Amino acid sequence: MRYRTRVTAPATALIGVATALTVGSAAQAAPAAASPGAETLGDPVFPSLGNDGYRVRAYALDLAYDATTRLVTATATLEILTTQALSRFSLDALGLDITSVRVAGSGADFEQVGEKLRVTPVRELPDTSTATVVVAYTADPRRSLAHTAWVPTPDGFAVCPQPNSAHTVFPCNDHPQDKAAFTFRVTVPSGLRGVASGLLVSTETLTDGRTAYTYRSREPMATELVQITVGDYIVKDRKGPGGLPLRDVVPTARASALEPALSLTAGQLSWIERRLGAFPFETYGLLPCNSDAANAFDFTGLETQTLTLYKPNFLLQDESKIGSHMMHELVHSYFGNSVSPATWADLWLNEGHADFYGLLYRYERGWTDSLGLTTMEARMKDTYARGDQWRKTSGPVASPNATNLFDSQRYLGGVLVLYALRQLIGEDAFGSVERAFLDRYRNSAATTENYITLASEVSGQDLSGFLRDWLYGTKTPRMPGHPDWTVTPATATLVAPNTRRNGHYHDNSATL
């Protein structure tokens, strides 16, 4: 079959009535004493992000949008599996007005401290047990916060959770290593459409003039990849390669104007599938959300799972201006979504691969890049010359911090690492490494070390020293096959490559 069956249980089997606590721990002579779970997963870039002591198996998000107040009333139901005996646990949550929390059908004490929602259940949760957690809350998509995923639009909203803002939309374990099944129920007034990641499984016409749309993800998803949108949209369906359902969510008034861009997706899918294998999800499409406002979000596209977010005006350009970046976002379905970064320090695996294939797509078509170059070799020679400068001002490729996480070193610097690897082991071996990595870590998360180990295994060479020098070294190594390439010496007065601003990040992709 074209699409492989997922190995995790479907959301319907995991989300149930919030009235039961199922204990699945093995018999123990002396159960460990319960204690609070840690309020971090120890991420090297975002050390306060995520929570320990449990993992989330599934989320069911039920959101209702009021077009008059422009507020969202919501319930988040989480099915968790404990990894220790818990007297208390925490979720990430910011800017949410929590009204109640229930654990295993009973009301639980809770408090909001900083960006954490601390929950104390009536009864301690045993180790390796499952429990249903239900959090009722309201949210204002227009609320000013230190950072937010909400994108208010004139007729509703969309969300852009990456990297650390999903918990401004729903309480969660907001880290990409804790992927889960998702079900979404989005209730909207007549005249609007509610859409979310995954496939539409039901549409309910309610008695009060509202409609509820339910979507379900076939594959597990990281919280930072969730998409939920409400607006005056139409959904355009078509078929992709092998019958893959394509689903675009388009502002009604601009549907005709956007059609030339939307029609490009099927051909792009065919191109990338020849290199990376069958598309890993149940559907794909674009969401040109109903806002071109400068302050809506400060990036071109965002790879929310099964539905890439764009501003409409970008997609109104000629194919040569948008096709390479559309490929960049499509590649994220493989690197970043299907295989998520185990920590945010592993971001180069996402962005380096997305730019690598996006640039290949550009140069195959003879489209000049932003530097006026037309070949990968020419672009990599230019990037190579900048290597020591970027390592001085932005750190090695696989050693980012929260300030420089999304700068050019993770994008083009990551491309340069992949180019060097391909130069060393050859194009065929490189392709085998790529496919083996995607296959082994499908529907999970992977580290930089995982990639290094697998590349050595598949290529039959010990690549650990080579790749670690490229990924963590303070000096740019020699480029295989190009002994004549030189690196410009770093100076003390250089400005770092493009970096984050205003709490988010702007575009550093070479595919633009």
Side-chain angles (χ1 to χ4, degrees):
M1 292 180 63
R2 186 182 188 284
Y3 302 106
R4 290 172 286 185
T5 302
R6 58 176 297 179
V7 297
T8 55
T12 50
L14 297 175
I15 295 294
V17 179
T19 59
L21 171 65
T22 303
V23 178
S25 56
Q28 301 179 26
S35 60
E39 295 185 352
T40 176
L41 285 174
D43 190 271
V45 177
F46 298 109
S48 64
L49 201 62
N51 309 273
D52 211 353
Y54 67 92
R55 292 295 180 266
V56 182
R57 299 174 67 182
Y59 293 88
L61 305 181
D62 190 341
L63 293 84
Y65 177 69
D66 187 318
T68 301
T69 65
R70 301 184 69 181
L71 299 179
V72 173
T73 303
T75 301
T77 303
L78 292 71
E79 193 78 16
I80 68 170
L81 174 66
T82 63
T83 57
Q84 67 174 76
L86 289 171
S87 60
R88 189 185 75 200
F89 62 91
S90 58
L91 300 169
D92 296 302
L94 173 66
L96 305 178
D97 297 317
I98 310 294
T99 55
S100 68
V101 179
R102 298 180 68 82
V103 179
S106 299
D109 290 336
F110 66 92
E111 62 175 339
Q112 292 179 262
V113 180
E115 298 191 21
K116 299 295 180 180
L117 171 62
R118 292 175 179 163
V119 178
T120 304
V122 173
R123 293 177 296 280
E124 295 175 346
L125 303 182
D127 187 14
T128 60
S129 65
T130 59
T132 302
V133 181
V134 182
V135 183
Y137 64 99
T138 59
D140 183 351
R142 298 163 297 165
R143 179 174 293 173
S144 178
L145 299 168
H147 59 94
T148 184
W150 295 102
V151 180
T153 62
D155 51 359
F157 63 84
V159 298
C160 52
Q162 192 185 85
N164 62 334
S165 295
H167 62 279
T168 65
V169 177
F170 60 101
C172 57
N173 201 24
D174 199 1
H175 195 278
Q177 70 175 244
D178 194 11
K179 301 172 79 163
F182 273 84
T183 299
F184 307 87
R185 187 173 188 264
V186 187
T187 302
V188 297
S190 297
L192 298 181
R193 185 74 178 250
V195 181
S197 299
L199 287 176
L200 179 67
V201 294
S202 71
T203 302
E204 305 168 69
T205 301
L206 307 179
T207 57
D208 56 0
R210 299 186 302 162
T211 304
Y213 300 91
T214 299
Y215 294 81
R216 184 170 298 125
S217 65
R218 189 190 69 183
E219 313 292 347
M221 182 161 41
T223 52
E224 54 108 359
L225 300 174
V226 162
Q227 182 55 256
I228 309 166
T229 188
V230 169
D232 181 10
Y233 293 118
I234 62 171
V235 176
K236 305 186 78 169
D237 296 309
R238 67 192 86 206
K239 293 293 184 182
L244 175 71
L246 301 183
R247 176 266 314 251
D248 298 308
V249 181
V250 192
T252 301
R254 308 180 77 171
S256 296
L258 287 163
E259 180 57 27
L262 305 180
S263 67
L264 299 175
T265 298
Q268 292 168 352
L269 274 161
S270 294
W271 187 89
I272 198 60
E273 286 193 333
R274 289 195 296 272
R275 289 154 180 83
L276 298 180
F279 186 73
F281 299 115
E282 62 269 42
T283 184
Y284 183 70
L286 305 185
L287 167 60
C289 80
N290 202 13
S291 178
D292 282 303
N295 62 351
F297 45 85
D298 58 354
F299 52 85
T300 296
L302 184 70
E303 65 277 12
T304 49
Q305 193 156 310
T306 72
L307 198 59
T308 292
L309 179 69
Y310 276 106
K311 289 181 180 178
N313 278 345
F314 174 78
L315 296 174
L316 295 177
Q317 302 177 88
D318 180 76
E319 180 184 1
S320 64
K321 302 294 185 183
I322 64 175
S324 182
H325 193 269
M326 288 175 68
M327 180 58 67
H328 172 109
E329 298 301 342
L330 175 55
V331 170
H332 276 312
S333 292
Y334 296 82
F335 292 97
N337 296 15
S338 180
V339 181
S340 296
T343 76
W344 283 107
D346 303 305
L347 181 76
W348 79 274
L349 286 166
N350 301 17
E351 303 302 344
H353 277 100
D355 255 16
F356 181 85
Y357 290 101
L359 285 173
L360 286 179
Y361 188 74
R362 171 185 291 279
Y363 298 135
E364 278 192 15
R365 278 147 188 76
W367 298 335
T368 303
D369 65 23
S370 60
L371 301 182
L373 305 174
T374 57
T375 67
M376 178 69 90
E377 182 173 322
R379 187 59 183 263
M380 289 300 94
K381 184 176 182 179
D382 178 87
T383 304
Y384 184 79
R386 306 168 191 260
D388 281 3
Q389 300 176 6
W390 287 5
R391 288 169 190 266
K392 181 179 180 65
T393 56
S394 186
V397 173
S399 296
N401 57 42
T403 300
N404 63 32
L405 179 62
F406 287 97
D407 72 13
S408 297
Q409 181 71 308
R410 262 39 78 187
Y411 290 73
L412 264 176
V415 177
L416 192 65
V417 173
L418 297 172
Y419 179 83
L421 176 61
R422 191 178 68 167
Q423 286 289 110
L424 181 68
I425 66 176
E427 189 168 348
D428 289 345
F430 178 77
S432 296
V433 168
E434 298 285 90
R435 285 176 176 253
F437 180 75
L438 292 170
D439 186 64
R440 181 170 300 181
Y441 296 103
R442 179 185 171 98
N443 291 338
S444 61
T447 65
T448 297
E449 190 62 33
N450 291 148
Y451 187 83
I452 293 172
T453 300
L454 184 139
S456 297
E457 175 188 320
V458 173
S459 69
Q461 306 178 43
D462 182 0
L463 299 172
S464 56
F466 176 84
L467 283 172
R468 288 190 186 111
D469 284 348
W470 275 96
L471 289 162
Y472 297 107
T474 57
K475 294 292 183 180
T476 306
R478 300 293 295 175
M479 177 60 72
H482 294 290
D484 57 317
W485 286 12
T486 58
V487 180
T488 302
T491 69
T493 57
L494 292 169
V495 176
N498 296 330
T499 55
R500 291 180 60 181
R501 62 182 181 183
N502 300 330
H504 291 292
Y505 59 92
H506 65 290
D507 288 308
N508 296 304
S509 171
T511 59
L512 289 167

